Amino acid sequence: MPHENARISSADAAKFRAAAVSVGFNLISTILKLFAALLTHSVSLFSEAIHSATDVVASSIAYFSVKAASVPADDEHPFGHGKIESLAGFAESIFLLLTMGFIANEAIKRLMHGGEVHQLGTGLVIMGLSAVGSLAVGLYVQKAGKETRSLALQSNGQHLMVDCITSSGVLLALVIVRYTSWKNADPVLALVFAAWIGFN
């Protein structure tokens, strides 16, 4: 019996640790992307910064949901608090859909009214680091989610993997804008991301 309690405590600790790492990474990533977006005036980078901001909310939900789900069953919740994690996963999906709408709106406005992108070097560095970081943290959080059977962590890990792909896409858009004459690559790629998020 003591062994079982120790195992459960270890699993909860692993969930808390993974959720905390996710929150910390998303917060730092969002700040850096917002800085780069303001510096470059890139709509795809700004959209990605907003996407990361929703990830901060989503990862925070995951953190508090795994904490709440670890609370033992009581008179009001005889089967425990595990359903909180399922609700958290659903909430994160809603955040992604809202992000999709925002990205599409900003990209269309840029296509219609135009706009210049500046200081792309900084944007390229930040998006490259973000893509690699999202991949590493996403794999870690997903692994922790599977090992502890946490739906909230698995969902959050998937969103980090999405962040890796969208960050890579924004990186590609910035490379195209910098090295070719296709200036609309920035908003066009932002629209592609919006559609991709909507279908995933």
mmCIF file with all atom_site columns, all heavy atoms in Angstrom, residues 14-41:
data_model
loop_
_atom_site.group_PDB
_atom_site.id
_atom_site.type_symbol
_atom_site.label_atom_id
_atom_site.label_alt_id
_atom_site.label_comp_id
_atom_site.label_asym_id
_atom_site.label_entity_id
_atom_site.label_seq_id
_atom_site.pdbx_PDB_ins_code
_atom_site.Cartn_x
_atom_site.Cartn_y
_atom_site.Cartn_z
_atom_site.occupancy
_atom_site.B_iso_or_equiv
_atom_site.pdbx_formal_charge
_atom_site.auth_seq_id
_atom_site.auth_comp_id
_atom_site.auth_asym_id
_atom_site.auth_atom_id
_atom_site.pdbx_PDB_model_num
ATOM 1   N N   . ALA A 1 14 ? 5.678  14.224 -11.657 1.00 0.00 ? 14 ALA A N   1
ATOM 2   C CA  . ALA A 1 14 ? 6.089  14.266 -13.065 1.00 0.00 ? 14 ALA A CA  1
ATOM 3   C C   . ALA A 1 14 ? 5.140  15.145 -13.874 1.00 0.00 ? 14 ALA A C   1
ATOM 4   O O   . ALA A 1 14 ? 5.567  15.899 -14.755 1.00 0.00 ? 14 ALA A O   1
ATOM 5   C CB  . ALA A 1 14 ? 6.120  12.847 -13.639 1.00 0.00 ? 14 ALA A CB  1
ATOM 6   N N   . LYS A 1 15 ? 3.836  15.071 -13.565 1.00 0.00 ? 15 LYS A N   1
ATOM 7   C CA  . LYS A 1 15 ? 2.849  15.886 -14.266 1.00 0.00 ? 15 LYS A CA  1
ATOM 8   C C   . LYS A 1 15 ? 3.046  17.371 -13.946 1.00 0.00 ? 15 LYS A C   1
ATOM 9   O O   . LYS A 1 15 ? 3.030  18.213 -14.845 1.00 0.00 ? 15 LYS A O   1
ATOM 10  C CB  . LYS A 1 15 ? 1.425  15.450 -13.894 1.00 0.00 ? 15 LYS A CB  1
ATOM 11  C CG  . LYS A 1 15 ? 1.028  14.111 -14.476 1.00 0.00 ? 15 LYS A CG  1
ATOM 12  C CD  . LYS A 1 15 ? -0.478 13.928 -14.503 1.00 0.00 ? 15 LYS A CD  1
ATOM 13  C CE  . LYS A 1 15 ? -1.066 13.729 -13.132 1.00 0.00 ? 15 LYS A CE  1
ATOM 14  N NZ  . LYS A 1 15 ? -2.523 13.405 -13.212 1.00 0.00 ? 15 LYS A NZ  1
ATOM 15  N N   . PHE A 1 16 ? 3.250  17.685 -12.675 1.00 0.00 ? 16 PHE A N   1
ATOM 16  C CA  . PHE A 1 16 ? 3.452  19.076 -12.282 1.00 0.00 ? 16 PHE A CA  1
ATOM 17  C C   . PHE A 1 16 ? 4.696  19.657 -12.943 1.00 0.00 ? 16 PHE A C   1
ATOM 18  O O   . PHE A 1 16 ? 4.707  20.798 -13.413 1.00 0.00 ? 16 PHE A O   1
ATOM 19  C CB  . PHE A 1 16 ? 3.597  19.195 -10.760 1.00 0.00 ? 16 PHE A CB  1
ATOM 20  C CG  . PHE A 1 16 ? 2.382  18.737 -9.996  1.00 0.00 ? 16 PHE A CG  1
ATOM 21  C CD1 . PHE A 1 16 ? 2.503  18.284 -8.688  1.00 0.00 ? 16 PHE A CD1 1
ATOM 22  C CD2 . PHE A 1 16 ? 1.117  18.761 -10.573 1.00 0.00 ? 16 PHE A CD2 1
ATOM 23  C CE1 . PHE A 1 16 ? 1.390  17.860 -7.983  1.00 0.00 ? 16 PHE A CE1 1
ATOM 24  C CE2 . PHE A 1 16 ? -0.008 18.344 -9.872  1.00 0.00 ? 16 PHE A CE2 1
ATOM 25  C CZ  . PHE A 1 16 ? 0.125  17.892 -8.571  1.00 0.00 ? 16 PHE A CZ  1
ATOM 26  N N   . ARG A 1 17 ? 5.762  18.844 -12.978 1.00 0.00 ? 17 ARG A N   1
ATOM 27  C CA  . ARG A 1 17 ? 7.033  19.306 -13.546 1.00 0.00 ? 17 ARG A CA  1
ATOM 28  C C   . ARG A 1 17 ? 6.875  19.598 -15.044 1.00 0.00 ? 17 ARG A C   1
ATOM 29  O O   . ARG A 1 17 ? 7.321  20.645 -15.533 1.00 0.00 ? 17 ARG A O   1
ATOM 30  C CB  . ARG A 1 17 ? 8.106  18.242 -13.316 1.00 0.00 ? 17 ARG A CB  1
ATOM 31  C CG  . ARG A 1 17 ? 9.501  18.675 -13.737 1.00 0.00 ? 17 ARG A CG  1
ATOM 32  C CD  . ARG A 1 17 ? 10.570 17.768 -13.146 1.00 0.00 ? 17 ARG A CD  1
ATOM 33  N NE  . ARG A 1 17 ? 10.302 16.356 -13.397 1.00 0.00 ? 17 ARG A NE  1
ATOM 34  C CZ  . ARG A 1 17 ? 9.937  15.474 -12.451 1.00 0.00 ? 17 ARG A CZ  1
ATOM 35  N NH1 . ARG A 1 17 ? 9.791  15.855 -11.196 1.00 0.00 ? 17 ARG A NH1 1
ATOM 36  N NH2 . ARG A 1 17 ? 9.719  14.206 -12.768 1.00 0.00 ? 17 ARG A NH2 1
ATOM 37  N N   . ALA A 1 18 ? 6.235  18.687 -15.771 1.00 0.00 ? 18 ALA A N   1
ATOM 38  C CA  . ALA A 1 18 ? 6.055  18.871 -17.207 1.00 0.00 ? 18 ALA A CA  1
ATOM 39  C C   . ALA A 1 18 ? 5.169  20.078 -17.491 1.00 0.00 ? 18 ALA A C   1
ATOM 40  O O   . ALA A 1 18 ? 5.440  20.866 -18.406 1.00 0.00 ? 18 ALA A O   1
ATOM 41  C CB  . ALA A 1 18 ? 5.442  17.609 -17.818 1.00 0.00 ? 18 ALA A CB  1
ATOM 42  N N   . ALA A 1 19 ? 4.108  20.234 -16.709 1.00 0.00 ? 19 ALA A N   1
ATOM 43  C CA  . ALA A 1 19 ? 3.198  21.363 -16.902 1.00 0.00 ? 19 ALA A CA  1
ATOM 44  C C   . ALA A 1 19 ? 3.901  22.685 -16.615 1.00 0.00 ? 19 ALA A C   1
ATOM 45  O O   . ALA A 1 19 ? 3.719  23.680 -17.326 1.00 0.00 ? 19 ALA A O   1
ATOM 46  C CB  . ALA A 1 19 ? 1.969  21.209 -16.010 1.00 0.00 ? 19 ALA A CB  1
ATOM 47  N N   . ALA A 1 20 ? 4.735  22.712 -15.577 1.00 0.00 ? 20 ALA A N   1
ATOM 48  C CA  . ALA A 1 20 ? 5.467  23.932 -15.222 1.00 0.00 ? 20 ALA A CA  1
ATOM 49  C C   . ALA A 1 20 ? 6.480  24.303 -16.305 1.00 0.00 ? 20 ALA A C   1
ATOM 50  O O   . ALA A 1 20 ? 6.631  25.484 -16.653 1.00 0.00 ? 20 ALA A O   1
ATOM 51  C CB  . ALA A 1 20 ? 6.182  23.742 -13.884 1.00 0.00 ? 20 ALA A CB  1
ATOM 52  N N   . VAL A 1 21 ? 7.163  23.304 -16.852 1.00 0.00 ? 21 VAL A N   1
ATOM 53  C CA  . VAL A 1 21 ? 8.125  23.551 -17.939 1.00 0.00 ? 21 VAL A CA  1
ATOM 54  C C   . VAL A 1 21 ? 7.407  24.136 -19.147 1.00 0.00 ? 21 VAL A C   1
ATOM 55  O O   . VAL A 1 21 ? 7.896  25.074 -19.792 1.00 0.00 ? 21 VAL A O   1
ATOM 56  C CB  . VAL A 1 21 ? 8.845  22.240 -18.330 1.00 0.00 ? 21 VAL A CB  1
ATOM 57  C CG1 . VAL A 1 21 ? 9.623  22.424 -19.634 1.00 0.00 ? 21 VAL A CG1 1
ATOM 58  C CG2 . VAL A 1 21 ? 9.796  21.801 -17.222 1.00 0.00 ? 21 VAL A CG2 1
ATOM 59  N N   . SER A 1 22 ? 6.230  23.603 -19.445 1.00 0.00 ? 22 SER A N   1
ATOM 60  C CA  . SER A 1 22 ? 5.446  24.087 -20.575 1.00 0.00 ? 22 SER A CA  1
ATOM 61  C C   . SER A 1 22 ? 5.039  25.538 -20.386 1.00 0.00 ? 22 SER A C   1
ATOM 62  O O   . SER A 1 22 ? 5.171  26.364 -21.300 1.00 0.00 ? 22 SER A O   1
ATOM 63  C CB  . SER A 1 22 ? 4.192  23.212 -20.752 1.00 0.00 ? 22 SER A CB  1
ATOM 64  O OG  . SER A 1 22 ? 3.393  23.691 -21.811 1.00 0.00 ? 22 SER A OG  1
ATOM 65  N N   . VAL A 1 23 ? 4.554  25.879 -19.191 1.00 0.00 ? 23 VAL A N   1
ATOM 66  C CA  . VAL A 1 23 ? 4.152  27.260 -18.907 1.00 0.00 ? 23 VAL A CA  1
ATOM 67  C C   . VAL A 1 23 ? 5.349  28.201 -19.044 1.00 0.00 ? 23 VAL A C   1
ATOM 68  O O   . VAL A 1 23 ? 5.267  29.249 -19.690 1.00 0.00 ? 23 VAL A O   1
ATOM 69  C CB  . VAL A 1 23 ? 3.557  27.386 -17.485 1.00 0.00 ? 23 VAL A CB  1
ATOM 70  C CG1 . VAL A 1 23 ? 3.328  28.864 -17.143 1.00 0.00 ? 23 VAL A CG1 1
ATOM 71  C CG2 . VAL A 1 23 ? 2.241  26.628 -17.383 1.00 0.00 ? 23 VAL A CG2 1
ATOM 72  N N   . GLY A 1 24 ? 6.471  27.832 -18.457 1.00 0.00 ? 24 GLY A N   1
ATOM 73  C CA  . GLY A 1 24 ? 7.664  28.669 -18.504 1.00 0.00 ? 24 GLY A CA  1
ATOM 74  C C   . GLY A 1 24 ? 8.156  28.892 -19.927 1.00 0.00 ? 24 GLY A C   1
ATOM 75  O O   . GLY A 1 24 ? 8.468  30.031 -20.321 1.00 0.00 ? 24 GLY A O   1
ATOM 76  N N   . PHE A 1 25 ? 8.223  27.810 -20.703 1.00 0.00 ? 25 PHE A N   1
ATOM 77  C CA  . PHE A 1 25 ? 8.695  27.934 -22.079 1.00 0.00 ? 25 PHE A CA  1
ATOM 78  C C   . PHE A 1 25 ? 7.761  28.808 -22.907 1.00 0.00 ? 25 PHE A C   1
ATOM 79  O O   . PHE A 1 25 ? 8.209  29.692 -23.650 1.00 0.00 ? 25 PHE A O   1
ATOM 80  C CB  . PHE A 1 25 ? 8.816  26.557 -22.740 1.00 0.00 ? 25 PHE A CB  1
ATOM 81  C CG  . PHE A 1 25 ? 9.096  26.634 -24.212 1.00 0.00 ? 25 PHE A CG  1
ATOM 82  C CD1 . PHE A 1 25 ? 10.370 26.911 -24.672 1.00 0.00 ? 25 PHE A CD1 1
ATOM 83  C CD2 . PHE A 1 25 ? 8.073  26.471 -25.144 1.00 0.00 ? 25 PHE A CD2 1
ATOM 84  C CE1 . PHE A 1 25 ? 10.639 27.022 -26.034 1.00 0.00 ? 25 PHE A CE1 1
ATOM 85  C CE2 . PHE A 1 25 ? 8.321  26.577 -26.501 1.00 0.00 ? 25 PHE A CE2 1
ATOM 86  C CZ  . PHE A 1 25 ? 9.608  26.850 -26.945 1.00 0.00 ? 25 PHE A CZ  1
ATOM 87  N N   . ASN A 1 26 ? 6.454  28.577 -22.800 1.00 0.00 ? 26 ASN A N   1
ATOM 88  C CA  . ASN A 1 26 ? 5.494  29.354 -23.588 1.00 0.00 ? 26 ASN A CA  1
ATOM 89  C C   . ASN A 1 26 ? 5.522  30.834 -23.229 1.00 0.00 ? 26 ASN A C   1
ATOM 90  O O   . ASN A 1 26 ? 5.362  31.695 -24.103 1.00 0.00 ? 26 ASN A O   1
ATOM 91  C CB  . ASN A 1 26 ? 4.078  28.801 -23.388 1.00 0.00 ? 26 ASN A CB  1
ATOM 92  C CG  . ASN A 1 26 ? 3.836  27.541 -24.195 1.00 0.00 ? 26 ASN A CG  1
ATOM 93  O OD1 . ASN A 1 26 ? 4.260  27.432 -25.335 1.00 0.00 ? 26 ASN A OD1 1
ATOM 94  N ND2 . ASN A 1 26 ? 3.163  26.575 -23.609 1.00 0.00 ? 26 ASN A ND2 1
ATOM 95  N N   . LEU A 1 27 ? 5.743  31.144 -21.969 1.00 0.00 ? 27 LEU A N   1
ATOM 96  C CA  . LEU A 1 27 ? 5.798  32.536 -21.541 1.00 0.00 ? 27 LEU A CA  1
ATOM 97  C C   . LEU A 1 27 ? 7.012  33.240 -22.146 1.00 0.00 ? 27 LEU A C   1
ATOM 98  O O   . LEU A 1 27 ? 6.895  34.336 -22.718 1.00 0.00 ? 27 LEU A O   1
ATOM 99  C CB  . LEU A 1 27 ? 5.861  32.608 -20.015 1.00 0.00 ? 27 LEU A CB  1
ATOM 100 C CG  . LEU A 1 27 ? 5.820  34.005 -19.388 1.00 0.00 ? 27 LEU A CG  1
ATOM 101 C CD1 . LEU A 1 27 ? 4.540  34.738 -19.800 1.00 0.00 ? 27 LEU A CD1 1
ATOM 102 C CD2 . LEU A 1 27 ? 5.916  33.920 -17.877 1.00 0.00 ? 27 LEU A CD2 1
ATOM 103 N N   . ILE A 1 28 ? 8.174  32.604 -22.057 1.00 0.00 ? 28 ILE A N   1
ATOM 104 C CA  . ILE A 1 28 ? 9.398  33.184 -22.625 1.00 0.00 ? 28 ILE A CA  1
ATOM 105 C C   . ILE A 1 28 ? 9.286  33.306 -24.142 1.00 0.00 ? 28 ILE A C   1
ATOM 106 O O   . ILE A 1 28 ? 9.651  34.326 -24.736 1.00 0.00 ? 28 ILE A O   1
ATOM 107 C CB  . ILE A 1 28 ? 10.626 32.321 -22.257 1.00 0.00 ? 28 ILE A CB  1
ATOM 108 C CG1 . ILE A 1 28 ? 10.871 32.383 -20.744 1.00 0.00 ? 28 ILE A CG1 1
ATOM 109 C CG2 . ILE A 1 28 ? 11.867 32.787 -23.010 1.00 0.00 ? 28 ILE A CG2 1
ATOM 110 C CD1 . ILE A 1 28 ? 11.929 31.434 -20.248 1.00 0.00 ? 28 ILE A CD1 1
ATOM 111 N N   . SER A 1 29 ? 8.751  32.258 -24.772 1.00 0.00 ? 29 SER A N   1
ATOM 112 C CA  . SER A 1 29 ? 8.596  32.253 -26.226 1.00 0.00 ? 29 SER A CA  1
ATOM 113 C C   . SER A 1 29 ? 7.677  33.375 -26.696 1.00 0.00 ? 29 SER A C   1
ATOM 114 O O   . SER A 1 29 ? 7.951  34.057 -27.685 1.00 0.00 ? 29 SER A O   1
ATOM 115 C CB  . SER A 1 29 ? 8.036  30.894 -26.679 1.00 0.00 ? 29 SER A CB  1
ATOM 116 O OG  . SER A 1 29 ? 7.843  30.866 -28.075 1.00 0.00 ? 29 SER A OG  1
ATOM 117 N N   . THR A 1 30 ? 6.581  33.576 -25.976 1.00 0.00 ? 30 THR A N   1
ATOM 118 C CA  . THR A 1 30 ? 5.627  34.627 -26.341 1.00 0.00 ? 30 THR A CA  1
ATOM 119 C C   . THR A 1 30 ? 6.259  36.011 -26.255 1.00 0.00 ? 30 THR A C   1
ATOM 120 O O   . THR A 1 30 ? 6.088  36.844 -27.154 1.00 0.00 ? 30 THR A O   1
ATOM 121 C CB  . THR A 1 30 ? 4.390  34.571 -25.424 1.00 0.00 ? 30 THR A CB  1
ATOM 122 O OG1 . THR A 1 30 ? 3.734  33.317 -25.596 1.00 0.00 ? 30 THR A OG1 1
ATOM 123 C CG2 . THR A 1 30 ? 3.409  35.696 -25.752 1.00 0.00 ? 30 THR A CG2 1
ATOM 124 N N   . ILE A 1 31 ? 6.999  36.254 -25.184 1.00 0.00 ? 31 ILE A N   1
ATOM 125 C CA  . ILE A 1 31 ? 7.652  37.559 -25.003 1.00 0.00 ? 31 ILE A CA  1
ATOM 126 C C   . ILE A 1 31 ? 8.644  37.834 -26.136 1.00 0.00 ? 31 ILE A C   1
ATOM 127 O O   . ILE A 1 31 ? 8.675  38.934 -26.713 1.00 0.00 ? 31 ILE A O   1
ATOM 128 C CB  . ILE A 1 31 ? 8.373  37.608 -23.641 1.00 0.00 ? 31 ILE A CB  1
ATOM 129 C CG1 . ILE A 1 31 ? 7.348  37.602 -22.507 1.00 0.00 ? 31 ILE A CG1 1
ATOM 130 C CG2 . ILE A 1 31 ? 9.257  38.862 -23.547 1.00 0.00 ? 31 ILE A CG2 1
ATOM 131 C CD1 . ILE A 1 31 ? 7.950  37.454 -21.129 1.00 0.00 ? 31 ILE A CD1 1
ATOM 132 N N   . LEU A 1 32 ? 9.439  36.819 -26.482 1.00 0.00 ? 32 LEU A N   1
ATOM 133 C CA  . LEU A 1 32 ? 10.420 36.984 -27.550 1.00 0.00 ? 32 LEU A CA  1
ATOM 134 C C   . LEU A 1 32 ? 9.744  37.211 -28.906 1.00 0.00 ? 32 LEU A C   1
ATOM 135 O O   . LEU A 1 32 ? 10.182 38.054 -29.707 1.00 0.00 ? 32 LEU A O   1
ATOM 136 C CB  . LEU A 1 32 ? 11.330 35.752 -27.625 1.00 0.00 ? 32 LEU A CB  1
ATOM 137 C CG  . LEU A 1 32 ? 12.326 35.580 -26.476 1.00 0.00 ? 32 LEU A CG  1
ATOM 138 C CD1 . LEU A 1 32 ? 13.069 34.252 -26.609 1.00 0.00 ? 32 LEU A CD1 1
ATOM 139 C CD2 . LEU A 1 32 ? 13.329 36.743 -26.460 1.00 0.00 ? 32 LEU A CD2 1
ATOM 140 N N   . LYS A 1 33 ? 8.661  36.477 -29.164 1.00 0.00 ? 33 LYS A N   1
ATOM 141 C CA  . LYS A 1 33 ? 7.962  36.627 -30.443 1.00 0.00 ? 33 LYS A CA  1
ATOM 142 C C   . LYS A 1 33 ? 7.287  37.989 -30.555 1.00 0.00 ? 33 LYS A C   1
ATOM 143 O O   . LYS A 1 33 ? 7.269  38.594 -31.636 1.00 0.00 ? 33 LYS A O   1
ATOM 144 C CB  . LYS A 1 33 ? 6.937  35.504 -30.612 1.00 0.00 ? 33 LYS A CB  1
ATOM 145 C CG  . LYS A 1 33 ? 7.558  34.150 -30.900 1.00 0.00 ? 33 LYS A CG  1
ATOM 146 C CD  . LYS A 1 33 ? 6.492  33.078 -30.955 1.00 0.00 ? 33 LYS A CD  1
ATOM 147 C CE  . LYS A 1 33 ? 7.092  31.698 -31.164 1.00 0.00 ? 33 LYS A CE  1
ATOM 148 N NZ  . LYS A 1 33 ? 6.066  30.635 -31.149 1.00 0.00 ? 33 LYS A NZ  1
ATOM 149 N N   . LEU A 1 34 ? 6.708  38.464 -29.471 1.00 0.00 ? 34 LEU A N   1
ATOM 150 C CA  . LEU A 1 34 ? 6.086  39.789 -29.493 1.00 0.00 ? 34 LEU A CA  1
ATOM 151 C C   . LEU A 1 34 ? 7.130  40.869 -29.753 1.00 0.00 ? 34 LEU A C   1
ATOM 152 O O   . LEU A 1 34 ? 6.892  41.812 -30.522 1.00 0.00 ? 34 LEU A O   1
ATOM 153 C CB  . LEU A 1 34 ? 5.373  40.056 -28.162 1.00 0.00 ? 34 LEU A CB  1
ATOM 154 C CG  . LEU A 1 34 ? 4.031  39.359 -27.963 1.00 0.00 ? 34 LEU A CG  1
ATOM 155 C CD1 . LEU A 1 34 ? 3.517  39.579 -26.543 1.00 0.00 ? 34 LEU A CD1 1
ATOM 156 C CD2 . LEU A 1 34 ? 3.003  39.863 -28.985 1.00 0.00 ? 34 LEU A CD2 1
ATOM 157 N N   . PHE A 1 35 ? 8.292  40.717 -29.128 1.00 0.00 ? 35 PHE A N   1
ATOM 158 C CA  . PHE A 1 35 ? 9.386  41.657 -29.357 1.00 0.00 ? 35 PHE A CA  1
ATOM 159 C C   . PHE A 1 35 ? 9.797  41.650 -30.828 1.00 0.00 ? 35 PHE A C   1
ATOM 160 O O   . PHE A 1 35 ? 9.945  42.713 -31.451 1.00 0.00 ? 35 PHE A O   1
ATOM 161 C CB  . PHE A 1 35 ? 10.585 41.286 -28.475 1.00 0.00 ? 35 PHE A CB  1
ATOM 162 C CG  . PHE A 1 35 ? 11.848 42.027 -28.822 1.00 0.00 ? 35 PHE A CG  1
ATOM 163 C CD1 . PHE A 1 35 ? 11.997 43.363 -28.495 1.00 0.00 ? 35 PHE A CD1 1
ATOM 164 C CD2 . PHE A 1 35 ? 12.882 41.376 -29.490 1.00 0.00 ? 35 PHE A CD2 1
ATOM 165 C CE1 . PHE A 1 35 ? 13.162 44.053 -28.827 1.00 0.00 ? 35 PHE A CE1 1
ATOM 166 C CE2 . PHE A 1 35 ? 14.049 42.052 -29.822 1.00 0.00 ? 35 PHE A CE2 1
ATOM 167 C CZ  . PHE A 1 35 ? 14.181 43.399 -29.495 1.00 0.00 ? 35 PHE A CZ  1
ATOM 168 N N   . ALA A 1 36 ? 9.969  40.448 -31.388 1.00 0.00 ? 36 ALA A N   1
ATOM 169 C CA  . ALA A 1 36 ? 10.378 40.328 -32.788 1.00 0.00 ? 36 ALA A CA  1
ATOM 170 C C   . ALA A 1 36 ? 9.293  40.843 -33.731 1.00 0.00 ? 36 ALA A C   1
ATOM 171 O O   . ALA A 1 36 ? 9.588  41.463 -34.758 1.00 0.00 ? 36 ALA A O   1
ATOM 172 C CB  . ALA A 1 36 ? 10.694 38.861 -33.116 1.00 0.00 ? 36 ALA A CB  1
ATOM 173 N N   . ALA A 1 37 ? 8.028  40.600 -33.384 1.00 0.00 ? 37 ALA A N   1
ATOM 174 C CA  . ALA A 1 37 ? 6.926  41.063 -34.236 1.00 0.00 ? 37 ALA A CA  1
ATOM 175 C C   . ALA A 1 37 ? 6.868  42.584 -34.283 1.00 0.00 ? 37 ALA A C   1
ATOM 176 O O   . ALA A 1 37 ? 6.667  43.187 -35.347 1.00 0.00 ? 37 ALA A O   1
ATOM 177 C CB  . ALA A 1 37 ? 5.603  40.499 -33.719 1.00 0.00 ? 37 ALA A CB  1
ATOM 178 N N   . LEU A 1 38 ? 7.049  43.225 -33.134 1.00 0.00 ? 38 LEU A N   1
ATOM 179 C CA  . LEU A 1 38 ? 7.049  44.689 -33.084 1.00 0.00 ? 38 LEU A CA  1
ATOM 180 C C   . LEU A 1 38 ? 8.239  45.263 -33.843 1.00 0.00 ? 38 LEU A C   1
ATOM 181 O O   . LEU A 1 38 ? 8.151  46.318 -34.467 1.00 0.00 ? 38 LEU A O   1
ATOM 182 C CB  . LEU A 1 38 ? 7.086  45.153 -31.625 1.00 0.00 ? 38 LEU A CB  1
ATOM 183 C CG  . LEU A 1 38 ? 5.819  44.878 -30.806 1.00 0.00 ? 38 LEU A CG  1
ATOM 184 C CD1 . LEU A 1 38 ? 6.053  45.219 -29.332 1.00 0.00 ? 38 LEU A CD1 1
ATOM 185 C CD2 . LEU A 1 38 ? 4.643  45.676 -31.352 1.00 0.00 ? 38 LEU A CD2 1
ATOM 186 N N   . LEU A 1 39 ? 9.350  44.539 -33.813 1.00 0.00 ? 39 LEU A N   1
ATOM 187 C CA  . LEU A 1 39 ? 10.569 44.990 -34.478 1.00 0.00 ? 39 LEU A CA  1
ATOM 188 C C   . LEU A 1 39 ? 10.476 44.829 -35.995 1.00 0.00 ? 39 LEU A C   1
ATOM 189 O O   . LEU A 1 39 ? 10.893 45.710 -36.756 1.00 0.00 ? 39 LEU A O   1
ATOM 190 C CB  . LEU A 1 39 ? 11.765 44.195 -33.948 1.00 0.00 ? 39 LEU A CB  1
ATOM 191 C CG  . LEU A 1 39 ? 13.157 44.773 -34.190 1.00 0.00 ? 39 LEU A CG  1
ATOM 192 C CD1 . LEU A 1 39 ? 13.320 46.088 -33.435 1.00 0.00 ? 39 LEU A CD1 1
ATOM 193 C CD2 . LEU A 1 39 ? 14.211 43.769 -33.735 1.00 0.00 ? 39 LEU A CD2 1
ATOM 194 N N   . THR A 1 40 ? 9.914  43.711 -36.451 1.00 0.00 ? 40 THR A N   1
ATOM 195 C CA  . THR A 1 40 ? 9.888  43.399 -37.879 1.00 0.00 ? 40 THR A CA  1
ATOM 196 C C   . THR A 1 40 ? 8.624  43.853 -38.600 1.00 0.00 ? 40 THR A C   1
ATOM 197 O O   . THR A 1 40 ? 8.621  43.992 -39.817 1.00 0.00 ? 40 THR A O   1
ATOM 198 C CB  . THR A 1 40 ? 10.016 41.874 -38.079 1.00 0.00 ? 40 THR A CB  1
ATOM 199 O OG1 . THR A 1 40 ? 8.878  41.226 -37.482 1.00 0.00 ? 40 THR A OG1 1
ATOM 200 C CG2 . THR A 1 40 ? 11.289 41.338 -37.449 1.00 0.00 ? 40 THR A CG2 1
ATOM 201 N N   . HIS A 1 41 ? 7.533  44.043 -37.868 1.00 0.00 ? 41 HIS A N   1
ATOM 202 C CA  . HIS A 1 41 ? 6.229  44.359 -38.456 1.00 0.00 ? 41 HIS A CA  1
ATOM 203 C C   . HIS A 1 41 ? 5.714  43.198 -39.313 1.00 0.00 ? 41 HIS A C   1
ATOM 204 O O   . HIS A 1 41 ? 4.946  43.426 -40.250 1.00 0.00 ? 41 HIS A O   1
ATOM 205 C CB  . HIS A 1 41 ? 6.289  45.628 -39.313 1.00 0.00 ? 41 HIS A CB  1
ATOM 206 C CG  . HIS A 1 41 ? 6.599  46.858 -38.524 1.00 0.00 ? 41 HIS A CG  1
ATOM 207 N ND1 . HIS A 1 41 ? 6.867  48.092 -39.092 1.00 0.00 ? 41 HIS A ND1 1
ATOM 208 C CD2 . HIS A 1 41 ? 6.721  47.067 -37.182 1.00 0.00 ? 41 HIS A CD2 1
ATOM 209 C CE1 . HIS A 1 41 ? 7.120  48.991 -38.159 1.00 0.00 ? 41 HIS A CE1 1
ATOM 210 N NE2 . HIS A 1 41 ? 7.036  48.379 -36.979 1.00 0.00 ? 41 HIS A NE2 1
#
